[in-house]
Amino acid sequence: MEWAALKLKQGRAAYDAETGDLHVKFSGSAPVRHANIPPHVYQNLLETNDPHFYYQYYIAPSRVSPARRGPISMISYGLKLVLLLAACSLLMASDLDTGHGGIFEESELRSN
């Protein structure tokens, strides 16, 4: 898979005809992988006078996200889950009947 220059030197593209994977890199950004791109779309990207517009309109929606999250991301989600559970338990604790100060008589417990 070889990189080809796009017109107006705005970026480069590489296409794997066997898998349909297209890699695109514009100046100032990281390369992005796209899956299941037909050969004619890659050819049009190489031939267009405005590759950035063509990319944004026809190719960008098929961007492939990384399959796995890094450890920092998983830690972040774990902390958010802990905070959410703590907030829920605080809300549930504040919903208790405050009229008795949290103390119930035995007869009140049996009647319910």
Side-chain angles (χ1 to χ4, degrees), residues 82-94:
V82 167
L83 289 173
L84 180 65
L85 290 174
C88 288
S89 64
L90 284 174
L91 287 173
M92 290 183 70
S94 66

Side-chain angles (χ1 to χ4, degrees), residues 4-105:
L6 301 176
K7 286 191 177 181
L8 302 176
K9 298 186 176 37
Q10 292 182 359
R12 300 176 296 150
Y15 184 69
D16 185 350
E18 292 178 13
T19 63
D21 286 352
L22 173 65
H23 299 266
V24 178
K25 176 168 183 2
F26 285 101
S27 59
S29 65
V32 178
R33 181 176 150 247
H34 302 275
N36 301 321
I37 301 297
H40 73 275
V41 172
Y42 170 64
Q43 194 61 41
N44 290 345
L45 178 65
L46 294 177
E47 295 172 1
T48 185
N49 290 327
D50 192 353
H52 190 65
F53 173 79
Y54 186 85
Y55 171 79
Q56 291 295 329
Y57 192 76
Y58 293 105
I59 301 171
S62 65
R63 181 179 205 159
V64 176
S65 301
R68 168 187 140 184
R69 297 192 183 275
I72 300 295
S73 179
M74 296 304 285
I75 291 170
S76 171
Y77 283 118
L79 288 174
K80 289 176 186 175
L81 180 61
V82 167
L83 289 173
L84 180 65
L85 290 174
C88 288
S89 64
L90 284 174
L91 287 173
M92 290 183 70
S94 66
D95 280 346
L96 293 175
D97 186 11
T98 57
H100 297 290
I103 301 173
F104 295 96
E105 296 293 325

